[in-house]
Amino acid sequence: MTQTNPVPMGPWKISVYDQEFFQGKRMEFTACCQNIMECGMENIRSLKVECGAWVGYEHSSFIGQQFVLEKGDYPCFEAYSGSNSYRIERMISFRPICCANHKESRMTIFESENMLGRQFELSDDYPSLQAMGWINKEVGSMHVQSGAFVCYQFPGYRGQQYILESDCHGGEYKCYREFGSHSQTPQIQSIRRIQH
């Protein structure tokens, strides 16, 4: 079964399964899915990203913990959930990351909210912001000029994930509460570009 919505159109394709290791019920999508339960699945236990970059969410309507999903196979929950600060074993909604452009990604991080204070421009992957000279463990605000990034709570791409895109909020994330519906802290210690 192929599920499509009129917007967005693009080179995206993802196959989801209700059991681990690509077993059980399978569905294919080329656009957003606000609630997998409305499609007859209780949860997504494994998936294959065949084209494009995607973001998955813990709850319906793109709410809760975020999971970046780049091209490849994810045979079980641990393969796409990464190293979260709390264990989540559900993904109910997902959508393409339309602006993902690994080679052209560029953003500026700011020390304080509302794009104020010390700033640093990023156009590469940073497993540790502190190692590159960022003094704080926190980022007050961010401006994504192009592409998309995934920011992590801890060094080494670990902890809570926040997907920041140039085509959301006009690319401006004025405070940590705008990083995602699950954001409870401005702590960001590693950042990488999202692969398309």
Side-chain angles (χ1 to χ4, degrees):
M1 178 179 180
T2 299
Q3 186 78 20
T4 59
N5 291 338
V7 176
M9 294 299 294
W12 299 287
K13 186 176 178 185
I14 187 171
S15 296
V16 299
Y17 301 80
D18 68 353
Q19 300 298 318
E20 291 186 344
F21 300 100
F22 319 113
Q23 300 295 312
K25 186 173 183 178
R26 174 187 178 272
M27 298 182 78
E28 185 179 285
F29 294 83
T30 57
C32 304
C33 175
Q34 287 194 5
N35 188 342
I36 197 67
M37 289 188 251
E38 292 176 357
C39 300
M41 280 188 180
E42 289 297 313
N43 195 1
I44 297 169
R45 298 273 182 215
S46 58
L47 59 97
K48 294 182 179 188
V49 176
E50 298 172 49
C51 193
W54 297 72
V55 56
Y57 295 85
E58 175 185 12
H59 301 294
S60 64
S61 301
F62 318 118
I63 302 290
Q65 175 65 47
Q66 302 171 353
F67 310 104
V68 65
L69 306 167
E70 295 162 300
K71 188 173 182 177
D73 294 353
Y74 300 83
C76 60
F77 167 77
E78 288 82 8
Y80 65 77
S81 66
S83 172
N84 288 305
S85 54
Y86 67 98
R87 188 167 174 84
I88 305 163
E89 289 195 23
R90 64 184 286 148
M91 185 168 63
I92 303 299
S93 59
F94 51 90
R95 65 175 177 80
I97 301 173
C98 301
C99 65
N101 185 341
H102 187 255
K103 293 178 183 175
E104 301 295 325
S105 295
R106 191 168 53 93
M107 74 181 294
T108 305
I109 60 175
F110 296 85
E111 181 178 38
S112 304
E113 291 185 358
N114 297 311
M115 318 302 179
L116 298 173
R118 187 170 164 254
Q119 61 185 340
F120 191 85
E121 188 168 304
L122 309 172
S123 58
D124 205 347
D125 300 338
Y126 295 91
S128 171
L129 291 179
Q130 287 71 40
M132 68 154 211
W134 189 255
I135 298 169
N136 302 325
K137 291 183 177 180
E138 300 174 345
V139 174
S141 53
M142 302 185 208
H143 181 215
V144 182
Q145 290 92 353
S146 60
F149 290 82
V150 57
C151 302
Y152 296 86
Q153 187 177 7
F154 302 116
Y157 311 124
R158 297 177 302 112
Q160 300 266 1
Q161 300 177 27
Y162 307 104
I163 287 64
L164 306 181
E165 304 162 78
S166 60
D167 61 357
C168 291
H169 302 279
E172 295 184 353
Y173 297 83
K174 296 180 180 181
C175 68
Y176 76 88
R177 290 174 296 285
E178 294 180 355
F179 298 170
S181 64
H182 63 296
S183 181
Q184 298 178 0
T185 174
Q187 184 172 326
I188 300 288
Q189 295 185 56
S190 53
I191 298 175
R192 70 176 178 83
R193 299 163 294 171
I194 294 178
Q195 299 279 349
H196 191 299

